[in-house]
Amino acid sequence: MTTTPAPVPVRSHAELLELVSRLDLATKVRLLTGATSFTLHGEESIGLAPMAFSDGPTGVRGLKFTGGDHVALFPSATVLASAWSEETAHEVGEMLAEEAERQQIHVVLGPTINLHRTPLGGRLFEAYSEDPLLTGRLAAAYVRGMQGRGIGACLKHLVANESETLRNYMNSVVSETALREVYLLPFEIAVQDAGAWSIMAAYNDVNGVPATEQDHVNNGVVKGEWGWDGLLMSDWFATKTSAPAALGGLDLVMPGPDGPWGEALVADVESGAVAESVVDEHVVRLLRLAERVGALGSEDQRRTWPAESLAPDAPARREQLRRLATDGMVVLRNEGGVLPLAGTGRVALIGRHGVDTICMGGGSATVNPPYQVSIADGLREALGDRLTVVDGVEVRERAVAAEPSAITDPETGEPGLRVAYLDADGVVMSSEHSSVSSVVTGWDDVLPRPTEQVVLTARLTQPGPVRLGVVGGGRWTVDLDGEQVGATELVAEGSDPGESMLKPPVWTVDTHSTATDGRGALVTATLTVVRSEPQPGPDGKLSTLSHVIASGMGMKGLVVSPVPAPAEQVLAAASTTAADADVAVVVVGLTEEQETEATDKSTLALPGEQDAMVSAVAAAAKRTVVVVNASTPVLMPWFDEVDAVLVVGLPGQEGGHAVADALLGVREPAGRLVTSWPSADGAAPAWDVVPDGLTLEYRDGTFIGYRGFAAGRAAAPAHWLGAGDGYGAWTYGSARLVEGDAGAPAVEVTVANTSDHDSREVVQVYLRPDEDDQPVRLVGFAPVRVPAGGEGTVTVATDSRLWRRWDEAADAWGAPLSAGTLLVARGLGDVRAELPLAPSR
Ligand code: BGC
């Protein structure tokens, strides 16, 4: 499964350069900025077809940011990584390639391989782990799976982009040692082991130089030392300059059609500030990518797209997504073997996340799935009337855009709403149905003239009390059946256009709707776009971002939701329902308010009164199982009050089915944590995400996550990276060192599954060097399936790249580590064997 695909034949450098030589300067430069948000220019004179890119990394969204075609929603990357399985990652890469082929997408913008440095990072759900080896190995397998089908992968975001606060302006200050040994390592592994065809340069600065201009990283390390021949594109709107970026190794500015290159880069070449050969090399890399993905050459040399492909809701796709989700769920507690619940009598399912399960995080990883199975739906299918479901306490601070099922388009009657765009003269430029209740203006809408007004109209499907409102910056009026229920002006916060899309301002009013003519009350929300003068960012500079923000673009939507019940009433209902059942399953978690791009968290505490809800249920129920619907660490002050805890992450469109399978033991939730979960806010080797000024110092150096916890740099975590029980029970035989590859030893160990469930173990090997300044680190892992009562022998290779040591004085790799102890562990909180290394190694 994890073999490297046969290399795609590409023209030699000289042949590509010859093609480039046929183009004049302006034509070459034009190719180096996107044509639209997600497409590139083609150039027929040299056989270059326009390429299409799409986010990734856990679903291929297509060319529209919101409301595009239905596509499969995968479990979040963190869930997929929790399987600790290269085979899984390879399969995911292949599946995403199929999703891309269906939509004629050449490059999928993923995997995200920044690390889980601080648990507050808003975007961790989209990345794999706090560990660079696990991240790199999974990324490499994903890339092999995807590129083996001729679809390009894009490793992102190079580099030191571990948090979101002020991401466009902040400067990550990282030692060369930490860069080499930790933050660049996943990129290095995915380049060396899988030959990724593209990489995305991050928004942030690295040691004072923008990532898009990082000559040292881009030209020196990645293209130079690693000999990487792929295409380096910018993150969206990240490029700040012409000459410094072109000279700093950036090949392609995204998105287009405008950007800081164009005429400025032509002028830089004409003035001699940038040699024309530099531009030529960027175009060579672009053509190489095009050839790899089948977008270069004569018609018969270009790729053809499959005539038939798996629909996002095809049974085979559903089965895959359900299995992948369960495989990444993590059992953190299972007192008295309460799980699996097979044979249990009456089950009470409690909590907002049970009825409205969060299946994906927010931001560019979001897709428009054909459906999302809630945990309530999944369990109801399995348990029928043995299941009682009650809603829980509020979990969001902001109101969200309406569930499409709560509204219908007044013109077509379909679920969703009608969006009309008007110009300055009030002429309707476009009126279209939207199957989702929010749209991104100034981004997805391609209109003949600037939009001055956006009118959202919908009929409410239910009469009665209702919370109505609007989402997004601008001047709004809201009418219900022709009567105004409110008017407001909302201003988008922040200095990142992402915030106007992902954390838009919201206004709501509680009112009452009556079905006047049997068709449902008509709600009309009218937005007048408010433009402003571009303002300098926190760095004092006017940039592309300043103009994007001033244009008034962003998410605009309609809120239609039930009026929430008071928390005491909800807690009382939860306790009564729990007391009546044989087991209570209470579902808690985060939402896209916390697990999202463009903002970070400020606490690991669960939002709202969810902790109180768990304690109330635990006090009332015979047995309590908590399901955590969040991909990243949360605090669980009630941990010892409950019988079981199952972390299900953001499980994708098949989420509810997968959770039901896990709870009922249809399939083992066999995941292991990919990040250590702190015991309290602040108790982590790296915590802050708010830069000091604009500087965020990576003071933890190479002691990221479990490495720092193990060195006593923070109070012991509640749960270590690698922890997770599944439904097996394991004893380890003695371990021994065996010959490995590339001079790095391997460890052989026999594990016995003493439970009566067939199960899957992940054997982890850590190196604890003798030197105090060297952190303990994961050097190898291998999953193994063992039947109930059986044994399995595993050989875990250790990766020679984890034995290396960067020598700052020599500015080169120094003598590798040799003295220390190998630990065979189920996470560092549960070490099962120690193997001292002979000093001669
Ligand atoms: C994200 C990238 C993403 C791009 C395009 C940016 O905001 O950081 O990861 O690929 O948008 O949507």
Side-chain angles (χ1 to χ4, degrees):
M1 280 301 272
T2 53
T3 52
T4 310
V8 173
V10 286
R11 289 171 173 81
S12 68
H13 182 265
E15 287 167 318
L16 292 172
L17 203 53
E18 192 281 318
L19 286 180
V20 176
S21 71
R22 299 186 203 167
L23 306 176
D24 62 21
L25 178 61
T27 308
K28 289 185 284 196
V29 166
R30 178 171 174 268
L31 295 179
L32 298 180
T33 294
T36 68
S37 307
F38 290 104
T39 59
L40 304 193
H41 292 288
E43 179 53 47
E44 270 311 318
S45 68
I46 54 166
L48 173 66
M51 287 185 275
F53 295 177
S54 165
D55 286 305
T58 40
V60 180
R61 192 179 61 236
L63 300 181
K64 285 191 79 164
F65 200 86
T66 50
D69 291 341
H70 283 153
V71 303
L73 168 61
F74 288 53
S76 75
T78 306
V79 175
L80 296 170
S82 300
W84 287 61
S85 161
E86 288 165 274
E87 205 175 308
T88 296
H90 189 272
E91 182 181 3
V92 168
E94 287 183 322
M95 289 165 65
L96 288 168
E98 286 167 11
E99 291 286 310
E101 284 168 359
R102 195 184 63 242
Q103 300 174 76
Q104 308 201 350
I105 298 289
H106 299 88
V107 175
V108 176
L109 306 172
T112 306
I113 55 174
N114 299 113
L115 298 178
H116 295 187
R117 174 174 172 261
T118 140
L120 295 180
R123 211 171 172 177
L124 305 191
F125 74 93
E126 214 188 294
Y128 292 135
S129 169
E130 68 188 8
D131 182 73
L133 175 69
L134 180 61
T135 300
R137 292 266 293 272
L138 297 181
Y142 167 116
V143 171
R144 285 191 293 262
M146 179 172 286
Q147 295 189 170
R149 295 191 64 118
I151 302 293
C154 178
L155 310 175
K156 65 189 192 183
H157 309 84
L158 187 72
V159 62
N161 177 196
E162 271 66 39
S163 51
E164 295 294 285
T165 307
L166 293 169
R167 62 181 178 168
N168 289 289
Y169 310 94
M170 55 86 80
N171 176 25
S172 298
V173 174
V174 197
S175 70
E176 188 66 18
T177 301
L179 268 184
R180 299 284 187 152
E181 293 184 10
V182 180
Y183 296 99
L184 283 171
L185 184 55
F187 290 89
E188 184 182 5
I189 295 174
V191 163
Q192 276 181 352
D193 297 4
W197 293 340
S198 72
I199 297 181
M200 189 185 292
Y203 285 118
N204 51 287
D205 293 3
V206 185
N207 295 328
V209 181
T212 47
E213 302 171 15
Q214 254 290 345
D215 178 60
H216 167 58
V217 170
N218 303 340
N219 288 327
V221 180
V222 179
K223 294 183 177 180
E225 289 175 33
W226 302 348
W228 180 67
D229 66 1
L231 174 108
L232 182 66
M233 70 182 80
S234 72
D235 200 340
W236 268 230
F237 303 112
T239 317
K240 300 173 175 77
T241 60
S242 172
L247 294 171
L250 187 73
D251 299 310
L252 173 70
V253 170
M254 287 304 290
D258 304 318
W261 284 13
E263 283 171 14
L265 184 53
V266 171
D268 284 333
V269 173
E270 283 166 350
S271 74
V274 175
E276 189 159 354
S277 59
V278 170
V279 169
D280 291 350
E281 287 305 321
H282 295 321
V283 182
V284 162
R285 284 172 182 266
L286 181 84
L287 297 185
R288 189 179 289 124
L289 174 69
E291 187 161 28
R292 284 172 163 159
V293 299
L296 187 68
S298 54
E299 278 304 324
D300 59 335
Q301 289 172 328
R302 299 214 195 137
R303 75 172 304 141
T304 49
W305 302 101
E308 302 227 328
S309 54
L310 214 51
D313 56 356
R317 185 62 94 223
R318 291 172 181 241
E319 183 282 323
Q320 285 172 309
L321 295 172
R322 181 170 181 162
R323 170 169 54 76
L324 290 172
T326 313
D327 285 354
M329 292 178 183
V330 183
V331 178
L332 282 185
R333 182 176 172 88
N334 195 9
E335 290 299 294
V338 59
L339 292 178
L341 293 177
T344 308
R346 286 164 310 128
V347 176
L349 179 73
I350 298 161
R352 176 64 52 85
H353 286 78
V355 287
D356 181 12
T357 305
I358 307 294
C359 296
M360 62 179 158
S364 58
T366 307
V367 302
N368 184 17
Y371 62 88
Q372 297 179 61
V373 181
S374 70
I375 297 173
D377 288 343
L379 277 178
R380 200 175 287 119
E381 273 179 40
L383 298 176
D385 57 12
R386 281 162 54 206
L387 182 76
T388 311
V389 179
V390 285
D391 193 6
V393 293
E394 277 303 307
V395 295
R396 289 186 173 87
E397 280 182 6
R398 298 192 306 271
V400 287
E403 274 297 314
S405 58
I407 50 179
T408 54
D409 180 332
E411 280 188 27
T412 64
E414 294 166 273
L417 46 69
R418 178 137 297 261
V419 193
Y421 296 90
L422 281 66
D423 69 8
D425 297 325
V427 175
V428 177
M429 296 182 286
S430 140
S431 166
E432 55 195 49
H433 171 74
S434 172
S435 62
V436 293
S437 38
S438 48
V439 293
V440 179
T441 60
W443 177 259
D444 279 344
D445 44 335
V446 182
L447 296 166
R449 293 175 297 284
T451 303
E452 292 305 318
Q453 284 202 323
V454 181
V455 183
L456 310 176
T457 44
R459 288 196 182 275
L460 308 186
T461 49
Q462 295 285 332
V466 63
R467 176 164 286 183
L468 284 186
V470 289
V471 176
R475 232 177 356 261
W476 290 94
T477 55
V478 182
D479 292 10
L480 186 61
D481 272 340
E483 271 192 37
Q484 193 174 96
V485 291
T488 184
E489 179 162 346
L490 300 176
V491 181
E493 279 177 18
S495 50
D496 182 333
E499 287 178 67
S500 69
M501 298 195 0
L502 305 170
K503 197 182 162 190
V506 178
W507 171 90
T508 59
V509 63
D510 291 345
T511 179
H512 196 93
S513 106
T514 32
T516 41
D517 55 3
R519 290 189 304 162
L522 182 71
V523 54
T524 307
T526 305
L527 164 84
T528 304
V529 175
V530 176
R531 298 192 173 79
S532 53
E533 270 302 297
Q535 299 297 318
D539 55 356
K541 293 181 194 153
L542 270 182
S543 64
T544 315
L545 296 179
S546 314
H547 290 274
V548 175
I549 293 168
S551 72
M553 65 83 77
M555 190 75 78
K556 322 286 171 184
L558 184 66
V559 175
V560 177
S561 66
V563 178
E568 316 78 70
Q569 201 177 313
V570 178
L571 292 182
S575 302
T576 319
T577 317
D580 281 350
D582 294 304
V583 59
V585 175
V586 49
V587 193
V588 295
L590 303 175
T591 70
E592 68 294 329
E593 289 185 0
Q594 292 83 32
E595 295 198 303
T596 184
E597 182 177 332
T599 65
D600 290 311
K601 293 175 265 195
S602 55
T603 174
L604 302 183
L606 288 168
E609 301 293 317
Q610 295 189 83
D611 288 335
M613 182 174 73
V614 176
S615 293
V617 169
K622 296 188 187 71
R623 283 172 299 164
T624 303
V625 174
V626 179
V627 171
V628 179
N629 181 197
S631 254
T632 51
V634 297
L635 301 178
M636 299 183 284
W638 32 258
F639 193 78
D640 294 331
E641 299 165 28
V642 303
D643 300 284
V645 175
L646 175 72
V647 180
V648 303
L650 302 172
Q653 69 187 40
E654 279 292 323
H657 287 143
V659 174
D661 287 350
L663 289 173
L664 302 174
V666 176
R667 191 168 173 91
E668 183 186 28
R672 302 290 186 263
L673 290 184
V674 288
T675 290
S676 306
W677 286 34
S679 57
D681 270 353
W687 180 252
D688 287 333
V689 283
V690 180
D692 181 3
L694 290 177
T695 299
L696 189 69
E697 268 197 63
Y698 279 37
R699 288 201 194 87
D700 43 326
T702 57
F703 286 76
I704 185 170
Y706 67 93
R707 299 171 168 205
F709 284 114
R713 293 184 171 206
H719 306 281
W720 291 85
L721 169 119
D725 286 332
Y727 292 150
W730 300 93
T731 57
Y732 277 56
S734 57
R736 64 184 191 101
L737 282 177
V738 293
E739 198 66 33
D741 299 334
V747 174
E748 190 188 88
V749 66
T750 300
V751 295
N753 175 7
T754 59
S755 75
D756 49 14
H757 299 279
D758 296 352
S759 184
R760 179 178 179 277
E761 175 67 323
V762 179
V763 179
Q764 305 153 42
V765 177
Y766 298 80
L767 166 63
R768 187 174 64 209
D770 282 347
E771 295 90 330
D772 283 346
D773 63 347
Q774 291 294 320
V776 63
R777 82 259 334 246
L778 182 76
V779 289
F781 60 92
V784 56
R785 284 192 187 280
V786 182
E791 276 188 2
T793 298
V794 203
T795 303
V796 185
T798 73
D799 193 307
S800 58
R801 290 168 288 207
L802 269 294
W803 296 77
R804 292 178 309 184
R805 209 173 350 182
W806 185 255
D807 180 341
E808 298 244 346
D811 198 25
W813 292 108
L817 295 164
S818 58
T821 307
L822 287 175
L823 310 174
V824 184
R826 312 182 73 248
L828 287 175
D830 185 5
V831 175
R832 296 296 178 97
E834 301 205 3
L835 286 170
L837 294 163
S840 62
R841 237 198 66 76

